Amino acid sequence: MSTEPDLHAIGIDESVTETRERLAGRNVPVIDDPAGASWGVYTDPSGAKVAFGRAEDGTEYTDANLESPHAYPAQGYRVSYNLAHFDLLEGGDREGRFLAYVDNPTALTLTEPNKVTVRPAALGAEVVVYASEDEYQQAQSEHDGLTLDAKHLKSPWLLALHSGDATGDEASSVAMFAAVVQSAQLRTNELTGREFWYVLGESVVPMAIALPAETAQNLHPGAVIAGAFIIVASLEA
């Protein structure tokens, strides 16, 4: 359900098993669902989060997540136990559509959209850093084919889901993503003692972003980060 690059982005380089063992020592509350599922969320002082649980069929998952100051009204529903489809809404118009791993899955139903407040975030998996929007646009112009602006979020699995070529269990939230950096800070994940970049950036909407510490030596406002990202989200109660 999740891949380890998302954990690496928030300063966790251990295996999923080792991460779950660390969490067991933190006495994280676990919520049991009457259908047999369960879930819990560890929130680190750094803003890094780890969502973990078990789906109704017994499948276990461990996903990275991230605290974000930016919340948006949305329509959302689950396409699998912890993967959800969102339409961000602003003034009645759709501002963005994407898939995201959610840290509290029981806040959404399967297939039927709910009106929710969502805090999306992006976790860098394969990232390129450009010094400015001009440098990013220059790099785009040197490539043949699809060119995207410096503030985009494209979920390739959406088309496969809507066409019926993929099921929710086959899909993931990996997306083509770019954002202009507004602020960047190296933080230490207290669970592991490892650093990661906590970034606030402007993509299709402003959101929080986590990058591995080695991604760049000096992220600065106005830089552009682009590449393959894992999109995650928290839902307000």
Side-chain angles (χ1 to χ4, degrees):
M1 287 187 180
S2 173
T3 55
E4 292 188 18
D6 63 337
L7 296 172
H8 181 58
I10 61 168
I12 299 177
D13 291 328
E14 303 169 332
S15 68
V16 168
T17 299
E18 291 170 321
T19 301
R20 292 289 287 258
E21 289 173 352
R22 279 188 184 270
L23 294 176
R26 296 292 177 121
N27 297 317
V28 181
V30 175
I31 297 172
D32 293 315
D33 184 276
S38 63
W39 62 275
V41 182
Y42 166 74
T43 302
D44 193 78
S46 65
K49 302 171 74 174
V50 181
F52 61 93
R54 183 185 65 252
E56 291 93 337
D57 65 1
T59 303
E60 293 189 346
Y61 67 90
T62 303
D63 297 332
N65 209 298
L66 191 66
E67 288 193 314
S68 174
H70 300 296
Y72 303 98
Q75 290 271 12
Y77 61 91
R78 287 186 289 127
V79 299
S80 68
Y81 182 70
N82 63 327
L83 182 65
H85 178 295
F86 290 103
D87 284 310
L88 296 185
L89 306 174
E90 188 65 38
D93 296 326
R94 181 166 61 85
E95 290 292 302
R97 171 174 287 179
F98 56 89
L99 299 174
Y101 289 112
V102 293
D103 59 4
N104 46 349
T106 56
L108 293 172
T109 60
L110 280 168
T111 69
E112 291 297 326
N114 301 79
K115 289 185 177 180
V116 295
T117 299
V118 63
R119 294 180 182 271
L123 312 178
E126 298 178 7
V127 184
V128 179
V129 179
Y130 301 89
S132 65
E133 289 188 68
D134 286 343
E135 183 177 297
Y136 171 81
Q137 295 296 350
Q138 178 62 35
Q140 289 285 293
S141 69
E142 294 171 358
H143 294 286
D144 294 330
L146 179 67
T147 60
L148 298 168
D149 65 27
K151 301 173 184 177
H152 67 260
L153 195 175
K154 305 291 185 184
S155 294
W157 281 101
L158 280 175
L159 182 60
L161 283 174
H162 287 295
S163 67
D165 290 336
T167 66
D169 288 332
E170 294 170 329
S172 84
S173 74
V174 173
M176 295 181 291
F177 176 88
V180 178
V181 174
Q182 297 171 316
S183 66
Q185 180 184 23
L186 268 178
R187 294 186 178 182
T188 300
N189 186 323
E190 292 190 9
L191 185 68
T192 62
R194 294 185 179 274
E195 291 184 325
F196 69 98
W197 284 101
Y198 182 89
V199 178
L200 295 180
E202 187 171 355
S203 182
V204 290
V205 293
M207 67 175 69
I209 303 159
L211 302 174
E214 72 274 11
T215 297
Q217 295 299 313
N218 183 28
L219 286 174
H220 59 273
V224 174
I225 49 179
F229 284 71
I230 298 158
I231 308 302
V232 297
S234 295
L235 298 166
E236 294 191 355

